[in-house]
Amino acid sequence: MAEVLAAETVATVDLFTMGYWLTLLTALVSAVGMFVGLACAINGRRSVRFRPIWVAASAVSIGGVGVWLASTVSLLGVSIPGTLLRYDVSDLTLSLVFAVLAVFVGLLLAGREFDLKRMASAAAALGVGFGIMLWLQLSSADIQGSISVTWWLYLVAVAIGVVASSLCVWLFQRFRFPAARLGSIVMFAAGVAAFYFTGISSLEFQPDTGAQPAEGMELFGYAFPMLVIGLLALAVPITAVLVAPERRDEQPAPRERTTPPSAPDGGPAGGNSGGAGLGETPRPSATAALAQRARPLPEPAH
């Protein structure tokens, strides 16, 4: 139970109404979204022609599933005893759009390799996008009464999201061994959990039995279908990643090796077998070229 202080009353908020297993589920959703997103980002770094498509798939996996879906599912555990809690579906859906856009713009600004200026621009884009996403999620909640936000806790939550995402991108760009990939996934899941709980703690609930009843819909009827749709949608980038090794669009076509012209005696042109090293194509000498041109043409058949 977490107590949230308000100006007039004290509202007791239960963050684990459905049990602690919901926290483990959201951590698993974050890890799966980050895992698939990193796989897409790796292919996006190698590819040239299809890089925007890979970055978009990574943004949907990381921003849509790893951040937005995980935090939205976590809201299922929030309840206020004696007060109905409802949510505005339009604000929740709009927050999904900003989460995906934040990761998409951030990955494009970060580039393929680590650069401090590009990394700062990516962190700024992530901060703006995640800040808008969190604000829309928090403002979508409604009770019979009023809800306010503690600004310094809200800014701390945004900072946690930016730092966690930036560190994951930094690890992805600087270190490419499996342990670094695993560290990025674990750090991301922990960062999303801290981002969510800090954001929820910034809300101040002031129940009022004489106020207008809460408007909106119950969250379970929205979050559960989105959970199923989001996990099923990951099948598309997963399939693309499995097929990707057969495509080498980012690599230039191999240069064809030309066969050196033969000398009149059938040996290699130039007549100097010791002058060419292994793997080198011997160049025809001037004498061999003149001899080739001086050979008489065959007489026409009668």
Side-chain angles (χ1 to χ4, degrees), residues 12-204:
T12 302
V13 181
D14 190 355
L15 300 179
F16 306 100
T17 303
M18 300 182 65
Y20 294 101
W21 66 271
L22 187 63
T23 304
L24 297 178
L25 175 62
T26 55
L28 180 62
V29 171
S30 296
V32 171
M34 187 61 177
F35 177 77
V36 178
L38 278 181
C40 294
I42 292 173
N43 285 277
R45 183 169 57 189
R46 296 172 179 174
S47 180
V48 175
R49 182 186 308 173
F50 297 99
R51 174 169 169 75
I53 299 178
W54 284 116
V55 173
S58 181
V60 172
S61 301
I62 297 176
V65 176
V67 178
W68 181 86
L69 184 59
S71 58
T72 302
V73 170
S74 297
L75 290 174
L76 290 172
V78 179
S79 66
I80 303 175
T83 303
L84 294 177
L85 187 59
R86 295 291 184 262
Y87 293 88
D88 188 345
V89 174
S90 60
D91 286 345
L92 285 176
T93 306
L94 188 59
S95 66
L96 168 62
V97 176
F98 278 98
V100 175
L101 284 178
V103 179
F104 180 78
V105 175
L107 290 177
L108 288 181
L109 292 177
R112 301 173 185 268
E113 304 295 337
F114 176 76
D115 181 77
L116 185 58
K117 293 182 179 180
R118 296 179 65 92
M119 195 67 216
S121 301
L126 291 173
V128 173
F130 286 164
I132 297 176
M133 183 208 76
L134 180 60
W135 176 259
L136 289 173
Q137 282 185 324
L138 297 180
S139 62
S140 66
D142 189 20
I143 63 171
Q144 188 176 12
S146 61
I147 302 176
S148 59
V149 177
T150 304
W151 282 100
W152 70 270
L153 280 175
Y154 167 78
L155 294 177
V156 169
V158 175
I160 291 174
V162 172
V163 171
S165 301
S166 301
L167 285 177
C168 291
V169 175
W170 178 76
L171 285 174
F172 166 73
Q173 291 180 329
R174 295 298 298 270
F175 306 102
R176 305 183 182 183
F177 49 90
R181 302 279 189 256
L182 180 61
S184 298
I185 295 173
V186 174
M187 182 184 301
F188 182 78
V192 170
F195 172 77
Y196 158 73
F197 284 111
T198 307
I200 290 298
S201 300
S202 67
L203 290 179
E204 295 181 349

Side-chain angles (χ1 to χ4, degrees), residues 292-300:
Q292 183 72 17
R293 292 186 178 184
R295 296 175 70 179
L297 297 174
E299 296 184 359

Side-chain angles (χ1 to χ4, degrees), residues 236-248:
V236 177
I238 290 174
T239 304
V241 169
L242 295 177
V243 176
E246 300 295 332
R247 299 161 58 181
R248 300 295 180 182

